[in-house]
Amino acid sequence: MASGVKPRVKAPKKASAGESVVIKTLISHKMESGQRKDSDGNVIPRSIINRFTCDYNGQNIIDVALAPAISTNPYFEFEATIPEAGEMKFTWYDDDGSVYETAKTVEIG
Amino acid sequence: MKKASFKVMTASVAALALGAGAAAADPEADLVVNGEIRMVTKTDAPAHLEGHLDTIRSGWTFRTSETQALQMDDFDNPGMIFVDGAQEAWDTAEGTAGKACADCHGDVAEGMMGVRAVYPKWNEAAGEVRTIEQMVNECRTDRMGADAYKYDGGDMAAMVALISSVSRGMPVDVAIDGPAQETWEKGQEIYYTRYGQLELSCANCHEENYDYYIRADHLSQGHINGFPTYRLKNAKLNTVHARFKGCVRDTRAETFKPGSPEFVALELYVASRGNGLSVEGPSVRN
């Protein structure tokens, strides 16, 4: 597991049914591109988050493929319509096989 | 042929003008962080700047609206990632004494509130002006029995950013009289001394030519109320002394070392030029 990886999500705790809400996500990750060399001339192996998904009550709302040119600490901001109360599940997939997960519950009110 | 090249030129001039329009920030915009911390980004200059500057402006007012927006919400501010890391370090015991910062200072929001606003500050026990970085390292080596942080390293920048973050919105108010006066005068002398092959003093850019462009860079007044600063150009937090070093290096001079008495004096003087602006650190700049 790459060190210092910490997922963060900012989503409203409450929404009215059918409302479109803004969701902000950020994961601290060094996103090593695999194009750089260290001081001895050896290639620093690629280590990036390659996929990000968000599901709401089991239904996928966003699925992103990430490429090596994306800079450190990738940030995603997107909108989603909240049909009913439920749980939003966020998943980040690391090159090394690690999977980072976090979830937020949204109430209707 | 002549006509064609003229056309190309007007086109590029138009593109330039457009680019400048998009990049220009609104100097009257308000900086409110998280919808609750209202910052003073423009105010009357402190009395000692009479004849030099009338109004002091935070570096935030010189940045593009996109960069400005990043600082207005802690979630969007990349500097806060480092603050999170430092919060863990604050609570973690280190060194031979088995103590954490929190064991003496308690919760950072209580123990460190207002500290960033008054530093660098005269330290009676040491008999000299000290910066926050020096105080952090004194705690680490003398009280915790841990290794000192590198003065302008990442750990130090993050720790100072944490300490600074709890003072955000408070006015910078460093003392320049009494025992600190001698150091302050030394800092003032450095500020107005031309260094390097380019023979530039701090004042040449940041006092006489602020708000103009130096090549592609929009010159600010060079206040340090926003430090440690997250810079988009290097994607990390930058300390005051690392920034001083970068500036002096750009004059093609041999620089003073981060943590040196010269830079401590300069930090006190530059901080005092921003007396009255709000503590913004960790701020976001380009």
Side-chain angles (χ1 to χ4, degrees):
Chain A
M1 183 190 279
S3 63
V5 179
K6 187 178 163 192
R8 296 166 171 81
V9 171
K10 189 175 181 180
K13 289 189 177 66
K14 270 188 181 175
S16 48
E19 188 190 347
S20 172
V21 298
V22 174
I23 300 155
K24 295 174 175 182
T25 76
L26 185 150
I27 187 161
S28 44
H29 194 282
K30 60 183 182 331
M31 295 293 278
E32 186 61 56
S33 70
Q35 307 281 346
R36 302 197 305 160
K37 289 175 179 169
D38 64 17
S39 50
D40 298 327
N42 305 314
V43 172
I44 305 170
R46 178 183 129 158
S47 168
I48 67 167
I49 299 282
N50 56 43
R51 184 177 173 218
F52 165 68
T53 63
C54 177
D55 295 337
Y56 194 72
N57 288 345
Q59 191 201 339
N60 182 262
I61 51 178
I62 193 167
D63 191 339
V64 185
L66 284 79
I70 293 173
S71 52
T72 174
N73 305 334
Y75 171 92
F76 290 106
E77 181 178 326
F78 53 93
E79 287 179 32
T81 308
I82 305 296
E84 76 260 326
E87 191 186 55
M88 219 177 271
K89 200 174 140 210
F90 305 88
T91 318
W92 290 261
Y93 298 85
D94 198 312
D95 267 352
D96 63 13
S98 308
V99 175
Y100 314 103
E101 287 180 329
T102 186
K104 291 272 174 192
T105 51
V106 184
E107 287 172 21
I108 296 296
Chain B
M1 192 64 212
K2 208 174 178 185
K3 204 175 173 188
S5 68
F6 177 70
K7 251 185 195 163
V8 171
M9 236 183 78
T10 25
S12 64
V13 166
L16 256 177
L18 256 176
D26 175 10
E28 303 303 325
D30 280 333
L31 172 55
V32 182
V33 175
N34 299 333
E36 55 182 30
I37 313 174
R38 186 166 285 276
M39 304 279 192
V40 176
T41 55
K42 194 176 178 185
T43 188
D44 292 338
H48 68 83
L49 284 179
E50 204 188 320
H52 295 281
L53 287 177
D54 295 330
T55 306
I56 50 172
R57 279 169 58 189
S58 162
W60 183 82
T61 63
F62 294 90
R63 302 283 70 97
T64 63
S65 48
E66 295 89 343
T67 309
Q68 288 185 333
L70 284 173
Q71 203 186 316
M72 297 173 86
D73 186 312
D74 280 356
F75 194 89
D76 296 342
N77 182 343
M80 294 310 285
I81 297 169
F82 299 87
V83 169
D84 274 4
Q87 180 67 57
E88 277 172 38
W90 179 269
D91 296 322
T92 310
E94 250 189 285
T96 51
K99 278 200 228 171
C101 309
D103 290 332
C104 295
H105 297 287
D107 185 45
V108 67
E110 288 167 24
M112 290 292 133
M113 187 190 260
V115 170
R116 175 66 176 81
V118 296
Y119 268 81
K121 186 180 161 191
W122 176 259
N123 185 308
E124 198 59 55
E128 61 179 10
V129 170
R130 287 276 174 93
T131 62
I132 292 182
E133 284 88 343
Q134 289 171 319
M135 300 310 286
V136 169
N137 267 345
E138 187 188 296
C139 266
R140 288 186 61 82
T141 55
D142 297 3
R143 297 189 188 88
M144 294 164 68
D147 292 335
Y149 285 146
K150 184 175 176 239
Y151 193 93
D152 54 350
D155 291 332
M156 181 64 88
M159 184 54 77
V160 177
L162 172 69
I163 292 168
S164 175
S165 69
V166 298
S167 300
R168 282 184 297 171
M170 300 171 78
V172 175
D173 185 21
V174 296
I176 61 173
D177 49 1
Q181 191 177 353
E182 195 186 327
T183 311
W184 180 80
E185 281 168 359
K186 187 176 153 196
Q188 186 181 36
E189 193 191 323
I190 294 173
Y191 192 89
Y192 287 103
T193 303
R194 290 169 179 268
Y195 287 99
Q197 292 176 326
L198 297 183
E199 296 190 346
L200 288 168
S201 74
C202 307
N204 291 149
C205 288
H206 297 293
E207 182 174 297
E208 294 155 18
N209 287 298
Y210 72 86
D211 222 358
Y212 289 118
Y213 280 80
I214 181 165
R215 301 189 73 179
D217 295 324
H218 191 185
L219 286 171
S220 75
Q221 290 182 343
H223 297 299
I224 55 174
N225 58 312
F227 276 83
T229 290
Y230 180 88
R231 296 193 69 189
L232 300 170
K233 72 175 272 188
N234 60 12
K236 66 178 178 99
L237 283 175
N238 295 266
T239 60
V240 176
H241 288 202
R243 192 70 197 88
F244 285 167
K245 188 176 143 188
C247 254
V248 179
R249 181 205 57 211
D250 291 347
T251 70
R252 298 189 189 165
E254 286 285 338
T255 77
F256 301 111
K257 283 193 170 53
S260 63
E262 290 84 1
F263 272 171
V264 172
L266 183 61
E267 181 177 345
L268 174 64
Y269 177 70
V270 176
S272 79
R273 292 176 67 95
N275 270 355
L277 294 173
S278 299
V279 173
E280 286 180 31
S283 63
V284 184
R285 304 285 188 259
N286 57 355

